[in-house]
Amino acid sequence: MDNGSFVKNQMNAHGLSRRSFLTVVLTLPLLGILHVTQRVESSGRHVSDTDDEFLMLGGWVLLKSDLVDWIGDDHANRPE
Amino acid sequence: MLIDLNSTEKLVSPLHYDVCVCGAGPAGISIARVLANAGKRVALIEGGGLEYSEDSQDIYRGKSIGYQYWDGLFTNRLRYLGGTSNHWGGRCSYFDPVDFELRSYHGMPGWPISRDEVMQWAKQAQSIVDISDQAFAGSIPDVKWQGPDFRYSDVAHSPPTRFKTKYFRELKDSTNIDLYVNANLTDIRLENSLDSVSGIEVRNYGSGRFVFSARNYVLAFGAIENARMLLNADKQISRGIGNHGDMVGRCFMEHLNVDIGRFVVDDMSMWNQLRLEMNPSAEFMRKNNIGNGVLAFAANAELKTYGRLKVLKKYVRDTICKSDLMTDISRRIVDFPCPGDGVVSSLIEQVPNPDSRVSIGPERDRLGLRRVILNWQLNDSDYRTIRKLGMGVAKEMAKTNVARVQLNKSLIEDTGPIDGVHWHCHHMGTTRMSEDPKYGVVDKNLKIHGVDNLFVVGSSVFPTGGGCNPTFTLVMLALRLGHHIAQLRTG
């Protein structure tokens, strides 16, 4: 079975037209981009000083020195 | 002696005793034992039987119209010998000295007795709930940490003691205690002067009605039923007994069970088998004008999976947990633990709030008593306490480099309601203790204001809830009341 037949079979199996199949395939990455954008905005919204020693990032209550320590570390992605 | 009222239709009443104790849970059993040991003749009157039954439990059905309490009225409590101790978790703790201070935070008078007056019964209470002298000291983990704003909680764990299992034989064999089961208190009758109780009416699940009389009477039903019974006793006083100040049923308090957030740790060695529980310091509470509470950290030392596909699940989760990005994405679909992280759970004090209340509705149970309506309320003071404790403990953990905490979104906002507030099945405050009848139902000796020989015991008399589980304290209060009644000239 070549690739064209596979796609056609999948479309038939799910009752999709070629147009709607392409719509779904092209929309998914857009949704992904939108999702990431929202997460960045969401993180930014919560970035605020709590006092001299602490800051809040994506809900995480951190020491300001954490930002330096955590960059490049496995935990760098934790605070979003 | 054990007397089952369901199979005893021909008792000659009135039955006379020194003291009638109504309710055979931890408070009722504790006080009955004290009085019996002091030589008093005691009727211990339990509405349920020796085992769980639908007939009895159904009496606990009611309606919740306030903050969501699901079917808590029905499931949080057990109505048979031993009461709710039959599914008690066993966590024992005691009130802090700061809980006995008069603080503006509470909005009304607090405890009219000192902490020492309660704690003098601690040793006897420990023996009742099977914890040792060293139990509380053992709760301090061997972790080199001491922050400025929080301290380790003093906690001991009862096995837990099931009062029916432990005390049934003693109650049955006692020459001074008559234990009545399937014996439902349905009315409290006052003398014409309305200042003392002349007798109580008790019914079985058939048509049998019995009258008991005694020098003193104690209600030990639990915080919801104590209030419900006083409100239902409305034949001579339309608002119910002890309710001239409209305080019966008001100030219903729970301990708030809030998911504070998540935390991560780097050093797993200190977290193996460790659950870290902390209370705020007195200074932290005073400074922020908030209530007490327990913040608990339990880290996942290793990944645990269960079920038939546990090997596959473990492989998938292991793989996901190795990538923080994958973990974040996956947890948006389904939450699961990873090694080195955990959730911050809590037990948080509610402010006594007159709008948070137990009342009775038009629907009646099979005994003819009006069913309970619970209007549990949370207010801005409660939300403020949650937020201050959450933020405070997150800072403390970062400062001491023990963990980093991610607070739940609704805690980050400055004001407004907080999502996901649950409860700990701790019912308190509905017949609160106060020397001023304007702010309470019972006085410092747990006697109902204006009624000479009617007492209430249990967590319903707590003026404030503190940051501790209530059972140990209510047992201490029951011991205190037992000795008080035993020493009365009319005892």
Side-chain angles (χ1 to χ4, degrees):
Chain A
M1 186 186 295
D2 62 21
N3 285 344
S5 307
F6 174 77
V7 171
K8 197 170 181 179
N9 286 339
Q10 289 298 306
M11 285 160 50
N12 289 337
H14 293 91
L16 290 171
S17 67
R18 179 184 293 272
R19 193 172 177 176
S20 53
F21 180 79
L22 285 173
T23 305
V24 170
V25 167
L26 292 175
T27 305
L28 281 174
L30 290 173
L31 285 174
I33 291 167
L34 185 64
H35 177 65
V36 170
T37 311
Q38 279 180 334
R39 286 180 65 186
V40 170
E41 283 176 356
S42 165
S43 299
R45 189 162 56 84
H46 291 307
V47 174
S48 63
D49 287 340
T50 54
D51 60 35
D52 288 347
E53 203 176 350
F54 302 95
L55 59 79
M56 196 188 294
L57 189 62
W60 289 92
V61 178
L62 304 172
L63 294 169
K64 286 188 174 167
S65 57
D66 285 338
L67 282 188
V68 179
D69 294 342
W70 286 22
I71 288 171
D73 188 84
D74 280 347
H75 288 295
N77 287 319
R78 288 273 193 196
E80 300 183 359
Chain B
M1 184 166 60
L2 173 66
I3 301 146
D4 184 346
L5 280 193
N6 268 354
S7 52
T8 314
E9 296 281 350
K10 291 181 181 173
L11 275 178
V12 178
S13 64
L15 298 142
H16 296 286
Y17 289 91
D18 292 323
V19 186
C20 283
V21 178
C22 303
I29 289 176
S30 299
I31 195 170
R33 293 178 68 242
V34 170
L35 290 164
N37 288 335
K40 304 298 176 190
R41 288 276 298 139
V42 179
L44 181 56
I45 296 168
E46 168 56 43
L50 298 179
E51 300 293 339
Y52 177 90
S53 76
E54 288 292 339
D55 279 348
S56 173
Q57 190 69 19
D58 180 72
I59 288 169
Y60 278 169
R61 286 192 192 281
K63 196 191 234 180
S64 174
I65 60 170
Y67 196 87
Q68 62 184 20
Y69 211 65
W70 305 116
D71 59 352
L73 282 171
F74 183 68
T75 58
N76 287 356
R77 312 174 281 162
L78 289 172
R79 197 174 187 274
Y80 64 104
L81 183 62
T84 303
S85 79
N86 287 301
H87 68 184
W88 180 39
R91 189 180 188 277
C92 295
S93 187
Y94 38 71
F95 281 78
D96 286 329
V98 68
D99 296 322
F100 289 78
E101 289 177 9
L102 179 61
R103 294 201 294 135
S104 62
Y105 161 73
H106 290 123
M108 55 174 70
W111 290 74
I113 55 176
S114 70
R115 185 172 182 267
D116 288 346
E117 285 177 85
V118 180
M119 292 301 290
Q120 68 172 302
W121 306 103
K123 203 165 173 72
Q124 283 185 41
Q126 284 175 17
S127 150
I128 288 172
V129 298
D130 302 302
I131 53 178
S132 67
D133 270 350
Q134 287 75 40
F136 290 102
S139 68
I140 307 302
D142 184 23
V143 177
K144 291 188 178 79
W145 169 81
Q146 187 65 58
D149 291 333
F150 287 80
R151 61 163 180 81
Y152 293 124
S153 304
D154 295 323
V155 184
H157 292 277
S158 167
T161 302
R162 307 294 181 211
F163 279 67
K164 184 190 89 167
T165 308
K166 182 172 179 182
Y167 293 112
F168 175 59
R169 178 64 58 186
E170 179 186 326
L171 296 172
K172 190 179 166 207
D173 293 345
S174 171
T175 51
N176 280 340
I177 298 175
D178 284 344
L179 169 62
Y180 292 87
V181 295
N182 295 309
N184 301 285
L185 177 64
T186 50
D187 196 18
I188 302 169
R189 295 172 184 169
L190 299 177
E191 300 284 1
N192 290 337
S193 55
L194 304 180
D195 60 1
S196 66
V197 177
S198 59
I200 55 175
E201 181 192 75
V202 174
R203 286 182 56 185
N204 63 14
Y205 290 91
S207 57
R209 289 170 189 261
F210 309 87
V211 174
F212 288 68
S213 73
R215 293 179 179 182
N216 290 291
Y217 303 81
V218 179
L219 299 185
F221 287 132
I224 291 171
E225 290 303 297
N226 280 344
R228 178 179 174 244
M229 191 62 237
L230 290 171
L231 293 170
N232 262 292
D234 57 359
K235 290 195 179 97
Q236 292 162 282
I237 301 175
S238 61
R239 297 177 91 171
I241 293 175
N243 199 26
H244 35 275
D246 191 25
M247 283 301 290
V248 172
R250 290 195 184 269
C251 300
F252 172 84
M253 298 176 288
E254 257 283 1
H255 280 127
L256 307 178
N257 181 357
V258 189
D259 184 0
I260 297 292
R262 188 189 297 282
F263 70 99
V264 292
V265 297
D266 278 336
D267 177 13
M268 275 310 299
S269 60
M270 69 167 267
W271 288 93
N272 284 332
Q273 307 299 317
L274 173 65
R275 179 180 164 87
L276 193 58
E277 297 184 359
M278 288 172 293
N279 282 74
S281 67
E283 189 48 41
F284 186 81
M285 282 184 266
R286 288 191 203 106
K287 185 175 69 186
N288 290 291
N289 200 26
I290 57 168
N292 208 333
V294 178
L295 288 305
F297 292 73
N300 304 299
E302 60 181 36
L303 195 60
K304 287 179 183 160
T305 51
Y306 305 93
R308 279 187 295 182
L309 297 174
K310 66 180 179 184
V311 176
L312 181 61
K313 279 194 261 183
K314 187 169 177 0
Y315 174 76
V316 171
R317 288 184 183 178
D318 257 341
T319 308
I320 291 173
C321 287
K322 279 176 186 158
S323 158
D324 295 318
L325 184 60
M326 286 294 289
T327 305
D328 284 348
I329 292 170
S330 305
R331 279 178 171 165
R332 284 166 193 271
I333 303 164
V334 58
D335 202 4
F336 56 86
C338 283
D341 66 15
V343 294
V344 188
S345 54
S346 64
L347 178 156
I348 294 175
E349 179 180 19
Q350 259 200 291
V351 72
N353 171 9
D355 294 334
S356 179
R357 67 183 299 193
V358 167
S359 59
I360 50 176
E363 193 187 340
R364 292 180 185 269
D365 65 21
R366 61 181 294 164
L367 303 166
L369 297 183
R370 289 163 68 187
R371 288 195 185 273
V372 71
I373 294 178
L374 174 63
N375 184 1
W376 180 35
Q377 293 289 324
L378 279 71
N379 65 16
D380 288 345
S381 295
D382 301 325
Y383 293 130
R384 179 182 158 78
T385 296
I386 296 169
R387 287 193 167 93
K388 289 286 181 187
L389 289 180
M391 179 60 81
V393 83
K395 285 181 178 178
E396 186 108 324
M397 294 306 249
K399 206 171 184 174
T400 53
N401 209 27
V402 172
R404 296 295 183 276
V405 175
Q406 183 186 34
L407 296 171
N408 275 343
K409 272 184 184 168
S410 54
L411 267 75
I412 297 168
E413 309 297 333
D414 289 335
T415 55
I418 291 172
D419 299 332
V421 176
H422 300 283
W423 58 90
H424 281 277
C425 314
H426 299 165
H427 309 146
M428 301 171 286
T430 54
T431 63
R432 70 193 305 272
M433 193 191 321
S434 172
E435 281 301 83
D436 185 345
K438 202 163 69 172
Y439 297 108
V441 176
V442 298
D443 65 14
K444 66 179 182 181
N445 291 319
L446 309 187
K447 185 183 79 62
I448 289 193
H449 286 292
V451 184
D452 287 341
N453 58 350
L454 181 57
F455 298 82
V456 183
V457 72
S459 50
S460 66
V461 304
F462 291 6
T464 65
C468 63
N469 299 56
T471 301
F472 188 61
T473 301
L474 73 85
V475 169
M476 288 192 281
L477 288 177
L479 297 173
R480 177 175 173 269
L481 177 58
H483 284 88
H484 172 72
I485 293 176
Q487 287 165 6
L488 287 175
R489 198 164 47 83
T490 56

